[in-house]
Amino acid sequence: MSADKFLIRFNILYPYRPSGRRVNRVVVVFLTLLLASILLILWLFLYQKSLDKPYVEIRGHRVASADNFDGFLRYGDNRERVQALSRYLASRGIANVVPVSSLLRQGGGWIELREPPFAIPPQSEWHNIVKTLTLLRDQIIPLIGSVDVVAGFRSDAYNRKLEHSDKAHHRDFCALDLIPKSNISHRELVEELRALHARLGPESNFGLGLSDGVRFHIDTCGYRIW
């Protein structure tokens, strides 16, 4: 091959580029790889944090996660006891009002109180939740829509560490703390629940507690409002 032909072929395969253009392309590739690496590291960090966090947030309130409940079921005979409670609720026609796991949430302060996030009520107290769930299904959900349970049954140990006036009814498996899933305002929620409480009257044994936000308390252990 002559020198001229070799030079022509070389120029075709490796065309000349100004040094500045080559440097710019290298910089772009480097910055792209660097940004991709940063995003990957950030995603891995957030993913790991989500695995470590034992709770989810519902409108600013912490509730124990589903993974946490799965761990609770694996401890001792908890799975069998929860299944027995589920069968009991089904026999009363109220198994599908809210998930049974949510009825066993002790509240959002279990981490600070160093208490389990879930607790199972003694069988002798199971009947107390029947009227409360019936009230929730037949009166409250049709009025304001579906709800999330942020606190249900509380053990004696958990209860002793609280100062709420309604805490005894959680211990008796009669009370629920709830948050609407809809975007209902505080004012509308209060107006609707107050009107319902007055309409149902003392014979309902409807206990209603209202807060500054949209979290509210219900029980059927005595007619009152606060």
Side-chain angles (χ1 to χ4, degrees), residues 189-199 208 210 225-226:
L189 177 69
V190 169
E191 289 176 352
E192 294 284 5
L193 291 178
R194 282 185 177 276
L196 175 65
H197 186 264
R199 185 166 67 251
L208 173 63
L210 301 167
I225 188 171
W226 68 96

Side-chain angles (χ1 to χ4, degrees), residues 93-150:
I94 51 175
N96 298 320
V97 181
V98 292
V100 66
S101 59
S102 66
L103 298 176
L104 309 182
R105 287 174 175 153
Q106 299 210 75
W110 84 92
I111 297 176
E112 292 81 5
L113 298 177
R114 298 174 183 259
E115 290 292 329
F118 300 95
I120 304 173
Q123 190 168 352
S124 59
E125 306 292 341
W126 290 1
H127 67 281
N128 290 333
I129 200 64
V130 174
K131 289 184 178 180
T132 302
L133 285 176
T134 302
L135 171 69
L136 178 60
R137 180 194 64 194
D138 296 344
Q139 302 293 341
I140 295 176
I141 291 178
L143 187 67
I144 65 170
S146 299
V147 296
D148 285 308
V149 180
V150 295

Side-chain angles (χ1 to χ4, degrees), residues 171-199:
R171 182 195 60 206
D172 297 335
F173 200 33
C174 179
L176 300 172
D177 289 352
L178 307 167
I179 294 178
K181 291 185 178 181
S182 68
N183 291 323
I184 188 171
S185 67
H186 165 75
R187 179 177 179 179
E188 184 181 0
L189 177 69
V190 169
E191 289 176 352
E192 294 284 5
L193 291 178
R194 282 185 177 276
L196 175 65
H197 186 264
R199 185 166 67 251

Side-chain angles (χ1 to χ4, degrees), residues 24-201:
N24 289 341
R25 182 166 296 180
V26 170
V27 170
V28 169
V29 172
F30 173 77
L31 291 178
T32 301
L33 292 175
L34 179 62
L35 179 60
S37 300
I38 293 173
L39 292 176
L40 177 61
I41 293 171
L42 179 61
W43 180 84
L44 290 173
F45 173 77
L46 293 176
Y47 177 72
Q48 186 61 43
K49 291 294 289 184
S50 69
L51 294 178
D52 295 339
K53 189 169 65 173
Y55 62 86
V56 294
E57 290 193 8
I58 300 176
R59 301 185 76 166
H61 295 272
R62 294 184 309 184
V63 298
S65 66
D67 288 341
N68 209 318
F69 185 65
D70 288 340
F72 175 77
L73 291 178
R74 290 193 292 270
Y75 182 78
D77 62 348
N78 286 348
R79 187 178 301 277
E80 290 74 18
R81 295 170 63 197
V82 171
Q83 289 174 343
L85 173 58
S86 297
R87 289 193 295 271
Y88 174 82
L89 297 177
S91 72
R92 298 301 186 272
I94 51 175
N96 298 320
V97 181
V98 292
V100 66
S101 59
S102 66
L103 298 176
L104 309 182
R105 287 174 175 153
Q106 299 210 75
W110 84 92
I111 297 176
E112 292 81 5
L113 298 177
R114 298 174 183 259
E115 290 292 329
F118 300 95
I120 304 173
Q123 190 168 352
S124 59
E125 306 292 341
W126 290 1
H127 67 281
N128 290 333
I129 200 64
V130 174
K131 289 184 178 180
T132 302
L133 285 176
T134 302
L135 171 69
L136 178 60
R137 180 194 64 194
D138 296 344
Q139 302 293 341
I140 295 176
I141 291 178
L143 187 67
I144 65 170
S146 299
V147 296
D148 285 308
V149 180
V150 295
F153 174 71
R154 290 179 179 141
S155 66
D156 285 335
Y158 192 103
N159 224 33
R160 282 193 295 268
K161 298 179 181 180
L162 299 177
E163 297 179 357
H164 305 308
S165 60
D166 62 326
K167 65 180 184 177
H169 298 303
H170 283 276
R171 182 195 60 206
D172 297 335
F173 200 33
C174 179
L176 300 172
D177 289 352
L178 307 167
I179 294 178
K181 291 185 178 181
S182 68
N183 291 323
I184 188 171
S185 67
H186 165 75
R187 179 177 179 179
E188 184 181 0
L189 177 69
V190 169
E191 289 176 352
E192 294 284 5
L193 291 178
R194 282 185 177 276
L196 175 65
H197 186 264
R199 185 166 67 251
L200 293 180

